[in-house]
Amino acid sequence: MAGTTGNYTLTYSESSKGFPSFYSYFPDMMIGMNNYLYSFKGGNLYRHNTNDNRNTYYGTFTASMMKSVFNDTPLENKLFKTINLESDSAWTGSFSSDQQTGGSIDASYFVQKEGDWFAFIRNTGTTPAGAAEYPLRSLNGISASASVNSAAPAAVEINFNVNTSIGSILSIGDTLYFISPAPAPPPAPPSPATPTLCGTVTAININLPAGTNQIVVDTSIAGGNIPSTQTDYFLFIKNQVAESHGILGHYCEFTLTNNDTTATELFTVKSEVMKSFP
């Protein structure tokens, strides 16, 4: 059968009364005989299920792939936080929902506990952030700055009033943005502005009795910008690979991939899910 991503073989299951499996091999002809499946390809005869290297057909390896969806209580907005695999091997996963894309788990992230594999869903995000990332929990606001020292682009000093709490959530390695609303003639309010990428936070210096309340930012990264005034409003986005914010949405579609060449079984895929309270 020809698909949008190439040719594949579709199989029918008597127990499920449907076509649940797709195989990467595409033979010229197939026949079953003496409890074995034989196929012809390019004038050669092949007997299946006898090769020590699984997922290898006609000398070509293709990874195992399984697609499904978590869609319990589809009317509620939820956070899909973790993945639990009842399997004898870890799998690589990618995740998306109706509100967010870019979720991922590398096979090396899984930890085996009591025979199962556990990992939390990372979200790769983009830099600069896309519009869909701004409403997420990984974004936090700070305040307008008091002054900006931009003498060194790789170490721009952004100073805040000592009465402004930078907070304990901000960490070195987070990505800083600023907003400069475009002025509007009275009585119209300023138009909403898209955050501008500033750079990566490299230091946080706080000594309030000495009057120091400062963030140091490397604006020399790709796409980085130095704030033009000291009255810009600053906000930051946490590293979405390090933070376990998961995937937000009414449902979560996932694709699991396994590159093992030995026999591997996957029994159940589960997720820790919590209702979102915006």
Side-chain angles (χ1 to χ4, degrees):
M1 184 174 182
T4 56
T5 58
N7 297 326
Y8 54 84
T9 298
L10 183 64
T11 59
Y12 179 80
S13 170
E14 287 287 351
S15 59
S16 61
K17 303 299 181 184
F19 297 86
S21 299
F22 299 82
Y23 293 92
S24 59
Y25 63 87
F26 192 68
D28 299 327
M29 183 182 297
M30 291 188 296
I31 187 171
M33 184 173 62
N34 297 333
N35 295 322
Y36 282 101
L37 173 65
Y38 294 88
S39 67
F40 295 86
K41 182 69 173 180
N44 296 315
L45 174 65
Y46 296 87
R47 188 168 74 171
H48 291 237
N49 302 319
T50 59
N51 191 346
D52 291 335
N53 292 327
R54 299 297 181 100
N55 289 351
T56 302
Y57 300 101
Y58 314 136
T60 301
F61 172 81
T62 303
S64 294
M65 182 180 297
M66 192 274 286
K67 294 183 179 181
S68 190
V69 60
F70 297 118
N71 59 353
D72 290 345
T73 58
L75 298 182
E76 292 183 356
N77 218 14
K78 300 173 287 294
L79 278 170
F80 299 86
K81 302 282 288 182
T82 66
I83 288 294
N84 173 12
L85 305 179
E86 290 190 20
S87 173
D88 53 11
S89 178
W91 294 55
T92 295
S94 60
F95 307 86
S96 63
S97 71
D98 57 318
Q99 299 187 35
Q100 195 173 2
T101 60
S104 66
I105 299 179
D106 189 81
S108 62
Y109 295 164
F110 281 91
V111 176
Q112 191 174 24
K113 299 179 181 179
E114 299 181 352
D116 291 350
W117 296 89
F118 296 84
F120 66 83
I121 299 175
R122 279 79 164 172
N123 195 295
T124 54
T126 58
T127 302
E133 297 179 60
Y134 296 131
L136 302 180
R137 287 174 169 80
S138 54
L139 183 143
N140 297 270
I142 303 177
S143 178
S145 61
S147 64
V148 175
N149 180 0
S150 58
V156 173
E157 298 175 349
I158 300 172
N159 300 295
F160 296 89
N161 189 289
V162 292
N163 295 322
T164 297
S165 174
I166 295 178
S168 59
I169 300 178
L170 179 67
S171 304
I172 293 174
D174 292 345
T175 306
L176 193 71
Y177 293 78
F178 61 88
I179 296 177
S180 298
S191 301
T194 301
T196 300
L197 173 64
C198 182
T200 302
V201 176
T202 58
I204 303 170
N205 303 318
I206 300 177
N207 186 349
L208 300 183
T212 302
N213 197 22
Q214 180 187 87
I215 298 173
V216 181
V217 183
D218 180 4
T219 63
S220 64
I221 66 171
N225 296 273
I226 298 175
S228 57
T229 69
Q230 73 269 23
T231 57
D232 295 317
Y233 183 82
F234 288 87
L235 48 98
F236 63 93
I237 294 181
K238 302 293 294 182
N239 185 316
Q240 295 193 49
V241 174
E243 299 291 319
S244 59
H245 292 287
I247 288 288
L248 175 69
H250 294 89
Y251 61 86
C252 177
E253 294 180 347
F254 63 90
T255 300
L256 299 178
T257 305
N258 188 284
N259 292 303
D260 291 346
T261 57
T262 56
T264 301
E265 294 181 310
L266 176 63
F267 300 99
T268 306
V269 182
K270 295 178 283 187
S271 178
E272 179 186 351
V273 183
M274 60 177 289
K275 184 177 179 180
S276 177
F277 294 93

